[in-house]
């Protein structure tokens, strides 16, 4: 629960505030960019929400914040904001919210599918989400892109008897995973679901392609500051040359969405996304 006595000094006056427990993970700025800014150390309220739409977005940020660092005196909307999660993105894909401090606020996603539902990386374990998943048929698979973003995958797996899928080189983060991938060739895990090894950020990092959705973990993401797709050498834990090669291999695939663990998501028509990937490759080669 955020504490106004510890509010970040830069917050503008009004109902919403961020306190100094903030870990500056960017979740709130992704969900409510008109409300939240960055001091360089923390997120802060740069402008109080000016209309109901922006207020709902700020409440979504409050719900998703991994450290409970956002507070508001306008509490009447919080329950409705909780009920909005998982937030639909497109087709049968939703953003889970309830980001976990265990993954430094990584994003996770829920995919409804006739062959069984999927969780991609894991949110905090909360009853609200577990009930929502149950209402929609539970979870059959939990795909873990890499070791950093497993959060409470074990708890969701236990609740739904779901199969956790992770690369062997990331297995230390989820040693009891039921399905362990080996090697560096793409693996069709199920119809419509292709695991694509993308070593670089970590050695066994994998992306997941589901129809027009590419779940990229921490391999690449959209940068709102640069206005393009990006990847970061600063948060590359294994091999930057490998990561660049892994990004280049993604040109063989068509997709419209980039849904990352950390960083902003992106959505373009497939040809435009292909151009965006090309722009990224040019930027990385510079
Ligand atoms: Fe990571």
């Amino acid at each position: 629960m955020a504490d106004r006595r510890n509010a970040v000094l830069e917050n503008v006056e009004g109902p919403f505030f961020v306190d100094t427990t903030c870990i500056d993970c960017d979740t709130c700025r992704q969900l409510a960019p008109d409300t939240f800014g960055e001091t360089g150390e923390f997120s802060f309220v740069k402008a109080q929400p000016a209309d109901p739409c922006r207020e709902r977005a700020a409440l979504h940020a409050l719900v998703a914040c991994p450290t409970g660092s956002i507070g508001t005196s306008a509490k009447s909307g919080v329950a409705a904001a909780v009920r909005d999660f998982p937030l639909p993105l497109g087709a049968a894909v939703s953003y889970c919210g309830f980001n976990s401090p265990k993954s430094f606020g990584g994003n996770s996603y829920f995919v409804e599918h006739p062959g069984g539902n999927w969780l991609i990386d894991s949110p905090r374990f909360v009853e609200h989400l577990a009930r929502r998943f149950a209402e929609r048929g539970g979870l059959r698979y939990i795909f873990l892109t890499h070791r950093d973003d497993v959060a409470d995958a074990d708890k969701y797996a236990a609740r739904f008897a779901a199969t956790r899928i992770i690369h062997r080189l990331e297995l230390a983060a989820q040693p009891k995973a039921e399905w362990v991938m080996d090697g560096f060739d793409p693996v069709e895990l199920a119809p419509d679901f292709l695991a694509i090894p993308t070593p670089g950020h970590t050695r066994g990092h994998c992306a997941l392609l589901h129809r027009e959705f590419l779940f990229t973990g921490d391999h690449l993401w959209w940068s709102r500051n640069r206005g393009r797709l990006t990847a970061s050498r600063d948060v590359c834990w294994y091999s930057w040359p490998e990561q660049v090669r892994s990004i280049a291999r993604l040109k063989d695939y068509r997709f419209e969405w980039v849904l990352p663990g950390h960083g902003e998501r992106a959505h373009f028509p497939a040809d435009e996304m292909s151009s965006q990937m090309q722009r990224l490759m040019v930027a990385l080669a510079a």
Side-chain angles (χ1 to χ4, degrees):
M1 183 67 91
D3 185 342
R4 199 180 277 277
R5 290 170 300 181
N6 299 327
V8 173
L9 293 174
E10 287 86 348
N11 291 313
V12 299
E13 204 160 317
F16 283 86
F17 65 96
V18 178
D19 77 13
T20 55
T21 60
C22 170
I23 58 172
D24 197 19
C25 71
D26 197 51
T27 298
C28 63
R29 299 189 294 272
Q30 292 166 27
L31 287 165
D34 294 338
T35 299
F36 298 99
E38 184 177 18
T39 67
E41 186 177 8
F42 304 114
S43 294
F44 75 107
V45 175
K46 65 178 182 181
Q48 294 291 337
D51 56 53
C53 182
R54 288 184 174 87
E55 180 172 316
R56 192 62 156 248
L59 289 166
H60 288 158
L62 182 152
V63 173
C65 174
T67 46
S69 304
I70 300 172
T72 181
S73 51
K75 296 195 188 313
S76 59
V78 175
V82 167
R83 285 196 296 273
D84 289 341
F85 288 94
L87 288 180
L89 296 177
V93 176
S94 307
Y95 157 62
C96 294
F98 297 93
N99 293 22
S100 171
K102 295 177 186 171
S103 60
F104 199 77
N107 296 314
S108 61
Y109 304 93
F110 175 64
V111 180
E112 290 180 80
H113 193 270
N117 298 334
W118 290 63
L119 185 63
I120 291 90
D121 290 328
S122 174
R124 265 178 281 152
F125 186 87
V126 291
E127 274 301 320
H128 168 78
L129 279 180
R131 280 198 299 273
R132 281 300 167 95
F133 297 156
E135 287 163 13
R136 298 175 193 188
L139 295 174
R140 181 167 181 190
Y141 298 107
I142 300 174
F143 183 84
L144 299 167
T145 56
H146 69 301
R147 64 184 185 210
D148 297 337
D149 293 351
V150 303
D152 289 332
D154 53 349
K155 293 180 181 163
Y156 285 105
R159 177 69 160 258
F160 293 102
T163 297
R164 288 164 291 177
I165 307 170
I166 194 167
H167 196 281
R168 185 172 303 282
L169 294 168
E170 310 291 307
L171 193 56
Q174 199 72 185
K176 294 182 178 169
E178 290 77 11
W179 186 341
V180 180
M181 293 180 292
D182 285 292
F184 295 98
D185 292 327
V187 180
E188 186 174 17
L189 299 169
D192 289 340
F193 292 88
L194 183 72
I196 305 171
T198 47
H201 172 71
T202 60
R203 199 169 167 211
H205 190 290
C206 292
L208 180 68
L209 181 64
H210 166 61
R211 299 174 34 193
E212 68 269 38
F213 301 91
L214 185 69
F215 300 94
T216 57
D218 292 346
H219 185 50
L220 62 92
W221 58 92
W222 183 260
S223 165
R224 62 179 166 272
N225 295 334
R226 292 175 164 152
R228 64 166 172 80
L229 293 170
T230 195
S232 172
R233 191 193 290 257
D234 293 343
V235 291
C236 176
W237 314 135
Y238 170 56
S239 165
W240 182 243
E242 275 282 323
Q243 189 163 345
V244 173
R245 281 195 288 276
S246 294
I247 291 170
R249 282 197 294 274
L250 290 174
K251 74 177 181 339
D252 299 338
Y253 303 97
R254 279 178 74 77
F255 49 92
E256 299 177 2
W257 290 80
V258 164
L259 297 176
H262 292 98
E264 198 91 40
R265 56 182 174 252
H267 181 206
F268 295 104
D271 288 343
E272 169 68 13
M273 184 60 89
S274 181
S275 301
Q276 292 288 349
M277 289 296 293
Q278 194 57 41
R279 280 183 71 200
L280 172 59
M281 288 309 304
V282 169
L284 295 178

